[in-house]
Amino acid sequence: MKESILNDSVFMTLLTMAPTRTEESDAHMRERLVNSLSQSFPGSALSRALQCMQPESDDEEFKLEDDILSSSCFAELRLEKGPIEDDELTSLSWLQDTNLLQNINAEEDEENSEGQKENGDTKEGNHYNQSHPPHVPYNPQKHVNSKPPYSFSCLIFMAIEDSPQKKLPVKDIYSWILGHFPYFQHAPTGWKNSVRHNLSLNKCFKKVDKDRGQSIGKGSLWCIDPDYRPNLLQALRKTPYHPYHQLQMLANPQPSQYSFVQNGPKPLPLTPRLGHNSISPHLFPFLSKRLAQSNCDIDSDIQDVAHTLVSLKSFSSGNSSAKSSDGEYSPSEHQRMRLKRKQRQLTPSYHKRRILGDIVCTLVPSEDHTYSVTNVLKAPVSPGSSIDEEYDFGDEDEEEEFSEYSFNSDEWDSADEVDGSLPANNTRRFVPHKNTPEEEAEEQKKIVEGADALLNLAGIKTNGPSSPVVNGKSARRNTPSSLAR
DNA sequence: TTACCTTTAAACATCA
DNA sequence: CTGATGTTTAAAGGTA
């Protein structure tokens, strides 16, 4: 299954989080990073690229082979090792985490320890209702004592989606859950109440009008409200053990996973176990098929972003004239436009409403599948985040292309609003925003800094602007939210 | 701290 | 009448 995107957060992180290491630790880190990643992802483009990226000397500026990066580390990494959940890439600290360089090839140890833990559970008594440990891939058939990491909404959604008719009576929803999540066979009976409670209160589910000729006995058939189906898909996508979660273990190691004990770091696996948690066609024949249909290929986004960043960096660092006398960076207009386009596509306001197949990407959890979710799809536009403003390049030609998704909340013509609430049809007018030359210069500077950051993260020395260093760590780690402030 | 979300429990009504 | 189903309310815990 080909999925996942390099989302706005990732992009913003790459653009803004300039890694800062000392020269000594930089070379050391690079070497260890290459070694560890080569083991974790043998033969991957990432490994090859990292191998190629080892500079011959510290003072020799490393030349990046565009095709290596653009062809692309991210893309192949995802294809080989499974797609990556959006949020997982937001933290690139794992690249700098020295723990990453340790404890390779300990997967079997964890499997064993997990097995021992489970045995211990049985010895010590059942631990039902325990949440599944975050660092262990969840297998519903295996971890029968662990409470599934899915909300009841997701369970119901999966059950209904996994049915041929996409509608089920409560009884069959029970059966599906019991069949796919044996945990509930021994769980307290209250879960059925919870299922009914969810069906009743959650707006994502609705009863099918009873067909007179079709008697199913007591009760009604339940189905997914088409308006909210994308939200449920998105919620499912965000669950911790969704197939796109695999690199989470690498990207955001749980504290317990890498916690140091007195005798040193406990060896725990870093090698991703991919495919463990996939929506298995075997377990979920209809669901897996439908989810697959809901995905889209956005590899080109990532490749374009990487390629454009490299090109921009190459331009700015390799061509001294790229920086004009007044301090403004002048990347080629073409590249700038491409980057802008990608940037816009990856900004929250774009993503907030960007529909990937059937998946609507929301940043607000309440828009996923909550009881109170309102008119998410019926309101295709909403006030954009200030990130858009921050990264609005003010190009009018491009504005038209993206005005549907990105806009500034301050720029709304609020004539339709009476008391701050959206008008009934949620239609609002957009007034294009124009940046001042100063803003544009600042944004261009950020692009170059971002390219620097990306290359630095890959262990490539650059001559570009860098962030201040404080104790070996970046003095300022920008996040999309901090940028928005 | 607050607001919101999710889960759980419970009471009650309706229906087959 | 019984049990399944559906609705509603409330409380507790988690999270942003």
PDB file of all heavy atoms in Angstrom, chain A residues 34 37-39 41-54 62 64-65 67-69 71-73 76-77 80:
ATOM      1  N   VAL A  34      25.183   6.903   9.378  1.00  0.00           N
ATOM      2  CA  VAL A  34      25.240   6.106   8.156  1.00  0.00           C
ATOM      3  C   VAL A  34      25.306   4.637   8.499  1.00  0.00           C
ATOM      4  O   VAL A  34      24.607   3.806   7.920  1.00  0.00           O
ATOM      5  CB  VAL A  34      26.461   6.532   7.312  1.00  0.00           C
ATOM      6  CG1 VAL A  34      26.698   5.528   6.190  1.00  0.00           C
ATOM      7  CG2 VAL A  34      26.243   7.918   6.749  1.00  0.00           C
ATOM      8  N   LEU A  37      21.851   3.487  10.030  1.00  0.00           N
ATOM      9  CA  LEU A  37      20.759   3.465   9.076  1.00  0.00           C
ATOM     10  C   LEU A  37      20.995   2.438   7.978  1.00  0.00           C
ATOM     11  O   LEU A  37      20.066   1.864   7.446  1.00  0.00           O
ATOM     12  CB  LEU A  37      20.556   4.857   8.476  1.00  0.00           C
ATOM     13  CG  LEU A  37      19.912   5.853   9.428  1.00  0.00           C
ATOM     14  CD1 LEU A  37      19.792   7.216   8.763  1.00  0.00           C
ATOM     15  CD2 LEU A  37      18.578   5.373   9.916  1.00  0.00           C
ATOM     16  N   SER A  38      22.239   2.227   7.662  1.00  0.00           N
ATOM     17  CA  SER A  38      22.528   1.220   6.659  1.00  0.00           C
ATOM     18  C   SER A  38      22.140  -0.160   7.167  1.00  0.00           C
ATOM     19  O   SER A  38      21.724  -1.017   6.400  1.00  0.00           O
ATOM     20  CB  SER A  38      24.014   1.241   6.319  1.00  0.00           C
ATOM     21  OG  SER A  38      24.363   2.479   5.753  1.00  0.00           O
ATOM     22  N   GLN A  39      22.266  -0.342   8.455  1.00  0.00           N
ATOM     23  CA  GLN A  39      21.848  -1.619   9.015  1.00  0.00           C
ATOM     24  C   GLN A  39      20.344  -1.713   9.100  1.00  0.00           C
ATOM     25  O   GLN A  39      19.747  -2.750   8.860  1.00  0.00           O
ATOM     26  CB  GLN A  39      22.447  -1.808  10.403  1.00  0.00           C
ATOM     27  CG  GLN A  39      23.943  -1.987  10.379  1.00  0.00           C
ATOM     28  CD  GLN A  39      24.489  -2.180  11.782  1.00  0.00           C
ATOM     29  OE1 GLN A  39      24.036  -3.056  12.515  1.00  0.00           O
ATOM     30  NE2 GLN A  39      25.449  -1.369  12.159  1.00  0.00           N
ATOM     31  N   PHE A  41      18.155  -0.070   7.296  1.00  0.00           N
ATOM     32  CA  PHE A  41      17.516  -0.059   5.981  1.00  0.00           C
ATOM     33  C   PHE A  41      18.523  -0.517   4.927  1.00  0.00           C
ATOM     34  O   PHE A  41      18.928   0.263   4.078  1.00  0.00           O
ATOM     35  CB  PHE A  41      16.997   1.330   5.648  1.00  0.00           C
ATOM     36  CG  PHE A  41      16.077   1.857   6.699  1.00  0.00           C
ATOM     37  CD1 PHE A  41      16.551   2.743   7.656  1.00  0.00           C
ATOM     38  CD2 PHE A  41      14.755   1.455   6.745  1.00  0.00           C
ATOM     39  CE1 PHE A  41      15.701   3.222   8.633  1.00  0.00           C
ATOM     40  CE2 PHE A  41      13.909   1.941   7.722  1.00  0.00           C
ATOM     41  CZ  PHE A  41      14.379   2.824   8.668  1.00  0.00           C
ATOM     42  N   PRO A  42      18.952  -1.749   4.995  1.00  0.00           N
ATOM     43  CA  PRO A  42      20.000  -2.215   4.081  1.00  0.00           C
ATOM     44  C   PRO A  42      19.547  -2.104   2.638  1.00  0.00           C
ATOM     45  O   PRO A  42      18.459  -2.507   2.280  1.00  0.00           O
ATOM     46  CB  PRO A  42      20.200  -3.671   4.499  1.00  0.00           C
ATOM     47  CG  PRO A  42      18.935  -4.061   5.179  1.00  0.00           C
ATOM     48  CD  PRO A  42      18.427  -2.814   5.827  1.00  0.00           C
ATOM     49  N   GLY A  43      20.424  -1.534   1.853  1.00  0.00           N
ATOM     50  CA  GLY A  43      20.157  -1.480   0.433  1.00  0.00           C
ATOM     51  C   GLY A  43      19.180  -0.407   0.016  1.00  0.00           C
ATOM     52  O   GLY A  43      18.862  -0.275  -1.163  1.00  0.00           O
ATOM     53  N   SER A  44      18.711   0.358   0.973  1.00  0.00           N
ATOM     54  CA  SER A  44      17.746   1.377   0.613  1.00  0.00           C
ATOM     55  C   SER A  44      18.433   2.554  -0.043  1.00  0.00           C
ATOM     56  O   SER A  44      19.640   2.746   0.053  1.00  0.00           O
ATOM     57  CB  SER A  44      17.000   1.854   1.857  1.00  0.00           C
ATOM     58  OG  SER A  44      17.860   2.609   2.665  1.00  0.00           O
ATOM     59  N   ALA A  45      17.632   3.350  -0.693  1.00  0.00           N
ATOM     60  CA  ALA A  45      18.181   4.562  -1.308  1.00  0.00           C
ATOM     61  C   ALA A  45      18.742   5.471  -0.242  1.00  0.00           C
ATOM     62  O   ALA A  45      19.734   6.170  -0.459  1.00  0.00           O
ATOM     63  CB  ALA A  45      17.083   5.274  -2.095  1.00  0.00           C
ATOM     64  N   LEU A  46      18.101   5.453   0.904  1.00  0.00           N
ATOM     65  CA  LEU A  46      18.591   6.294   1.992  1.00  0.00           C
ATOM     66  C   LEU A  46      19.989   5.877   2.386  1.00  0.00           C
ATOM     67  O   LEU A  46      20.887   6.710   2.556  1.00  0.00           O
ATOM     68  CB  LEU A  46      17.654   6.191   3.194  1.00  0.00           C
ATOM     69  CG  LEU A  46      18.100   6.943   4.431  1.00  0.00           C
ATOM     70  CD1 LEU A  46      18.167   8.436   4.117  1.00  0.00           C
ATOM     71  CD2 LEU A  46      17.166   6.682   5.577  1.00  0.00           C
ATOM     72  N   SER A  47      20.190   4.573   2.523  1.00  0.00           N
ATOM     73  CA  SER A  47      21.520   4.097   2.892  1.00  0.00           C
ATOM     74  C   SER A  47      22.539   4.464   1.835  1.00  0.00           C
ATOM     75  O   SER A  47      23.632   4.940   2.138  1.00  0.00           O
ATOM     76  CB  SER A  47      21.478   2.576   3.080  1.00  0.00           C
ATOM     77  OG  SER A  47      20.596   2.226   4.101  1.00  0.00           O
ATOM     78  N   ARG A  48      22.150   4.221   0.596  1.00  0.00           N
ATOM     79  CA  ARG A  48      23.095   4.532  -0.474  1.00  0.00           C
ATOM     80  C   ARG A  48      23.398   6.017  -0.512  1.00  0.00           C
ATOM     81  O   ARG A  48      24.555   6.419  -0.680  1.00  0.00           O
ATOM     82  CB  ARG A  48      22.509   4.073  -1.819  1.00  0.00           C
ATOM     83  CG  ARG A  48      22.391   2.572  -1.936  1.00  0.00           C
ATOM     84  CD  ARG A  48      22.195   2.166  -3.392  1.00  0.00           C
ATOM     85  NE  ARG A  48      21.027   2.765  -3.994  1.00  0.00           N
ATOM     86  CZ  ARG A  48      19.817   2.219  -3.948  1.00  0.00           C
ATOM     87  NH1 ARG A  48      19.632   1.072  -3.309  1.00  0.00           N
ATOM     88  NH2 ARG A  48      18.796   2.816  -4.525  1.00  0.00           N
ATOM     89  N   ALA A  49      22.369   6.788  -0.340  1.00  0.00           N
ATOM     90  CA  ALA A  49      22.584   8.226  -0.374  1.00  0.00           C
ATOM     91  C   ALA A  49      23.480   8.666   0.765  1.00  0.00           C
ATOM     92  O   ALA A  49      24.404   9.471   0.578  1.00  0.00           O
ATOM     93  CB  ALA A  49      21.239   8.944  -0.296  1.00  0.00           C
ATOM     94  N   LEU A  50      23.236   8.101   1.928  1.00  0.00           N
ATOM     95  CA  LEU A  50      24.056   8.485   3.070  1.00  0.00           C
ATOM     96  C   LEU A  50      25.498   8.054   2.878  1.00  0.00           C
ATOM     97  O   LEU A  50      26.427   8.754   3.258  1.00  0.00           O
ATOM     98  CB  LEU A  50      23.467   7.870   4.351  1.00  0.00           C
ATOM     99  CG  LEU A  50      22.167   8.510   4.826  1.00  0.00           C
ATOM    100  CD1 LEU A  50      21.552   7.698   5.953  1.00  0.00           C
ATOM    101  CD2 LEU A  50      22.418   9.939   5.289  1.00  0.00           C
ATOM    102  N   GLN A  51      25.653   6.864   2.308  1.00  0.00           N
ATOM    103  CA  GLN A  51      27.012   6.418   2.056  1.00  0.00           C
ATOM    104  C   GLN A  51      27.725   7.377   1.116  1.00  0.00           C
ATOM    105  O   GLN A  51      28.879   7.735   1.311  1.00  0.00           O
ATOM    106  CB  GLN A  51      26.991   5.011   1.437  1.00  0.00           C
ATOM    107  CG  GLN A  51      26.401   3.946   2.347  1.00  0.00           C
ATOM    108  CD  GLN A  51      27.359   3.501   3.435  1.00  0.00           C
ATOM    109  OE1 GLN A  51      28.474   4.002   3.509  1.00  0.00           O
ATOM    110  NE2 GLN A  51      26.933   2.593   4.296  1.00  0.00           N
ATOM    111  N   CYS A  52      26.993   7.766   0.088  1.00  0.00           N
ATOM    112  CA  CYS A  52      27.607   8.676  -0.891  1.00  0.00           C
ATOM    113  C   CYS A  52      27.865  10.044  -0.300  1.00  0.00           C
ATOM    114  O   CYS A  52      28.704  10.795  -0.803  1.00  0.00           O
ATOM    115  CB  CYS A  52      26.693   8.806  -2.112  1.00  0.00           C
ATOM    116  SG  CYS A  52      26.536   7.275  -3.043  1.00  0.00           S
ATOM    117  N   MET A  53      27.138  10.366   0.725  1.00  0.00           N
ATOM    118  CA  MET A  53      27.222  11.717   1.245  1.00  0.00           C
ATOM    119  C   MET A  53      28.385  11.925   2.189  1.00  0.00           C
ATOM    120  O   MET A  53      28.568  13.018   2.695  1.00  0.00           O
ATOM    121  CB  MET A  53      25.922  12.077   1.975  1.00  0.00           C
ATOM    122  CG  MET A  53      24.784  12.379   1.024  1.00  0.00           C
ATOM    123  SD  MET A  53      23.292  12.655   1.943  1.00  0.00           S
ATOM    124  CE  MET A  53      22.133  12.929   0.605  1.00  0.00           C
ATOM    125  N   GLN A  54      29.139  10.894   2.451  1.00  0.00           N
ATOM    126  CA  GLN A  54      30.250  11.086   3.363  1.00  0.00           C
ATOM    127  C   GLN A  54      31.289  11.969   2.692  1.00  0.00           C
ATOM    128  O   GLN A  54      31.863  11.634   1.670  1.00  0.00           O
ATOM    129  CB  GLN A  54      30.858   9.735   3.724  1.00  0.00           C
ATOM    130  CG  GLN A  54      29.819   8.815   4.304  1.00  0.00           C
ATOM    131  CD  GLN A  54      30.300   8.164   5.581  1.00  0.00           C
ATOM    132  OE1 GLN A  54      30.833   8.854   6.450  1.00  0.00           O
ATOM    133  NE2 GLN A  54      30.135   6.883   5.709  1.00  0.00           N
ATOM    134  N   PHE A  62      30.772  19.475   0.487  1.00  0.00           N
ATOM    135  CA  PHE A  62      30.242  18.263  -0.115  1.00  0.00           C
ATOM    136  C   PHE A  62      29.229  18.598  -1.186  1.00  0.00           C
ATOM    137  O   PHE A  62      28.353  19.405  -1.024  1.00  0.00           O
ATOM    138  CB  PHE A  62      29.577  17.421   0.964  1.00  0.00           C
ATOM    139  CG  PHE A  62      28.955  16.179   0.434  1.00  0.00           C
ATOM    140  CD1 PHE A  62      29.739  15.162  -0.053  1.00  0.00           C
ATOM    141  CD2 PHE A  62      27.577  16.053   0.410  1.00  0.00           C
ATOM    142  CE1 PHE A  62      29.161  14.020  -0.540  1.00  0.00           C
ATOM    143  CE2 PHE A  62      27.006  14.895  -0.078  1.00  0.00           C
ATOM    144  CZ  PHE A  62      27.798  13.873  -0.567  1.00  0.00           C
ATOM    145  N   LEU A  64      26.246  17.500  -3.317  1.00  0.00           N
ATOM    146  CA  LEU A  64      25.144  16.541  -3.274  1.00  0.00           C
ATOM    147  C   LEU A  64      24.746  16.122  -4.672  1.00  0.00           C
ATOM    148  O   LEU A  64      24.611  16.925  -5.564  1.00  0.00           O
ATOM    149  CB  LEU A  64      23.949  17.178  -2.574  1.00  0.00           C
ATOM    150  CG  LEU A  64      22.676  16.328  -2.572  1.00  0.00           C
ATOM    151  CD1 LEU A  64      22.879  15.115  -1.690  1.00  0.00           C
ATOM    152  CD2 LEU A  64      21.511  17.156  -2.098  1.00  0.00           C
ATOM    153  N   GLU A  65      24.637  14.854  -4.839  1.00  0.00           N
ATOM    154  CA  GLU A  65      24.116  14.353  -6.101  1.00  0.00           C
ATOM    155  C   GLU A  65      22.605  14.484  -6.072  1.00  0.00           C
ATOM    156  O   GLU A  65      21.915  13.797  -5.347  1.00  0.00           O
ATOM    157  CB  GLU A  65      24.520  12.876  -6.284  1.00  0.00           C
ATOM    158  CG  GLU A  65      25.997  12.653  -6.385  1.00  0.00           C
ATOM    159  CD  GLU A  65      26.552  13.208  -7.692  1.00  0.00           C
ATOM    160  OE1 GLU A  65      25.749  13.417  -8.623  1.00  0.00           O
ATOM    161  OE2 GLU A  65      27.758  13.455  -7.761  1.00  0.00           O
ATOM    162  N   ASP A  67      20.318  13.602  -7.990  1.00  0.00           N
ATOM    163  CA  ASP A  67      19.476  12.461  -8.312  1.00  0.00           C
ATOM    164  C   ASP A  67      19.358  11.506  -7.153  1.00  0.00           C
ATOM    165  O   ASP A  67      18.349  10.832  -6.986  1.00  0.00           O
ATOM    166  CB  ASP A  67      20.011  11.735  -9.547  1.00  0.00           C
ATOM    167  CG  ASP A  67      21.444  11.298  -9.340  1.00  0.00           C
ATOM    168  OD1 ASP A  67      22.138  11.950  -8.559  1.00  0.00           O
ATOM    169  OD2 ASP A  67      21.853  10.322  -9.969  1.00  0.00           O
ATOM    170  N   ILE A  68      20.390  11.453  -6.328  1.00  0.00           N
ATOM    171  CA  ILE A  68      20.334  10.545  -5.194  1.00  0.00           C
ATOM    172  C   ILE A  68      19.248  10.967  -4.219  1.00  0.00           C
ATOM    173  O   ILE A  68      18.427  10.172  -3.792  1.00  0.00           O
ATOM    174  CB  ILE A  68      21.689  10.484  -4.474  1.00  0.00           C
ATOM    175  CG1 ILE A  68      22.712   9.816  -5.390  1.00  0.00           C
ATOM    176  CG2 ILE A  68      21.556   9.736  -3.179  1.00  0.00           C
ATOM    177  CD1 ILE A  68      24.092   9.771  -4.779  1.00  0.00           C
ATOM    178  N   LEU A  69      19.263  12.207  -3.929  1.00  0.00           N
ATOM    179  CA  LEU A  69      18.304  12.659  -2.941  1.00  0.00           C
ATOM    180  C   LEU A  69      16.915  12.765  -3.525  1.00  0.00           C
ATOM    181  O   LEU A  69      15.932  12.370  -2.909  1.00  0.00           O
ATOM    182  CB  LEU A  69      18.721  14.025  -2.389  1.00  0.00           C
ATOM    183  CG  LEU A  69      17.865  14.564  -1.261  1.00  0.00           C
ATOM    184  CD1 LEU A  69      17.829  13.535  -0.139  1.00  0.00           C
ATOM    185  CD2 LEU A  69      18.430  15.866  -0.763  1.00  0.00           C
ATOM    186  N   SER A  71      15.624  11.183  -5.760  1.00  0.00           N
ATOM    187  CA  SER A  71      15.009  10.020  -6.407  1.00  0.00           C
ATOM    188  C   SER A  71      14.349   8.957  -5.530  1.00  0.00           C
ATOM    189  O   SER A  71      13.996   7.958  -6.048  1.00  0.00           O
ATOM    190  CB  SER A  71      16.047   9.323  -7.240  1.00  0.00           C
ATOM    191  OG  SER A  71      16.991   8.714  -6.410  1.00  0.00           O
ATOM    192  N   SER A  72      14.108   8.878  -4.393  1.00  0.00           N
ATOM    193  CA  SER A  72      14.379   9.813  -3.350  1.00  0.00           C
ATOM    194  C   SER A  72      14.506   9.013  -2.089  1.00  0.00           C
ATOM    195  O   SER A  72      13.949   7.953  -1.951  1.00  0.00           O
ATOM    196  CB  SER A  72      13.227  10.815  -3.253  1.00  0.00           C
ATOM    197  OG  SER A  72      12.612  10.785  -2.024  1.00  0.00           O
ATOM    198  N   CYS A  73      15.285   9.517  -1.173  1.00  0.00           N
ATOM    199  CA  CYS A  73      15.476   8.820   0.090  1.00  0.00           C
ATOM    200  C   CYS A  73      14.147   8.590   0.767  1.00  0.00           C
ATOM    201  O   CYS A  73      13.828   7.508   1.227  1.00  0.00           O
ATOM    202  CB  CYS A  73      16.375   9.622   1.005  1.00  0.00           C
ATOM    203  SG  CYS A  73      17.963   9.995   0.288  1.00  0.00           S
ATOM    204  N   GLU A  76      11.799   6.065  -1.251  1.00  0.00           N
ATOM    205  CA  GLU A  76      12.154   4.653  -1.196  1.00  0.00           C
ATOM    206  C   GLU A  76      12.081   4.123   0.221  1.00  0.00           C
ATOM    207  O   GLU A  76      11.707   2.979   0.449  1.00  0.00           O
ATOM    208  CB  GLU A  76      13.537   4.418  -1.777  1.00  0.00           C
ATOM    209  CG  GLU A  76      13.853   2.945  -1.814  1.00  0.00           C
ATOM    210  CD  GLU A  76      15.113   2.672  -2.605  1.00  0.00           C
ATOM    211  OE1 GLU A  76      15.488   3.472  -3.408  1.00  0.00           O
ATOM    212  OE2 GLU A  76      15.721   1.655  -2.413  1.00  0.00           O
ATOM    213  N   LEU A  77      12.462   4.971   1.123  1.00  0.00           N
ATOM    214  CA  LEU A  77      12.375   4.545   2.514  1.00  0.00           C
ATOM    215  C   LEU A  77      10.953   4.152   2.834  1.00  0.00           C
ATOM    216  O   LEU A  77      10.694   3.134   3.456  1.00  0.00           O
ATOM    217  CB  LEU A  77      12.821   5.687   3.426  1.00  0.00           C
ATOM    218  CG  LEU A  77      12.769   5.395   4.914  1.00  0.00           C
ATOM    219  CD1 LEU A  77      13.751   4.288   5.240  1.00  0.00           C
ATOM    220  CD2 LEU A  77      13.104   6.644   5.694  1.00  0.00           C
ATOM    221  N   GLU A  80      10.019   0.939   0.884  1.00  0.00           N
ATOM    222  CA  GLU A  80      10.636  -0.290   1.347  1.00  0.00           C
ATOM    223  C   GLU A  80      10.174  -0.663   2.732  1.00  0.00           C
ATOM    224  O   GLU A  80       9.987  -1.822   3.045  1.00  0.00           O
ATOM    225  CB  GLU A  80      12.155  -0.130   1.367  1.00  0.00           C
ATOM    226  CG  GLU A  80      12.757  -0.080  -0.023  1.00  0.00           C
ATOM    227  CD  GLU A  80      14.252   0.064   0.056  1.00  0.00           C
ATOM    228  OE1 GLU A  80      14.767   0.157   1.178  1.00  0.00           O
ATOM    229  OE2 GLU A  80      14.885   0.086  -0.987  1.00  0.00           O
TER     230      GLU A  80
END
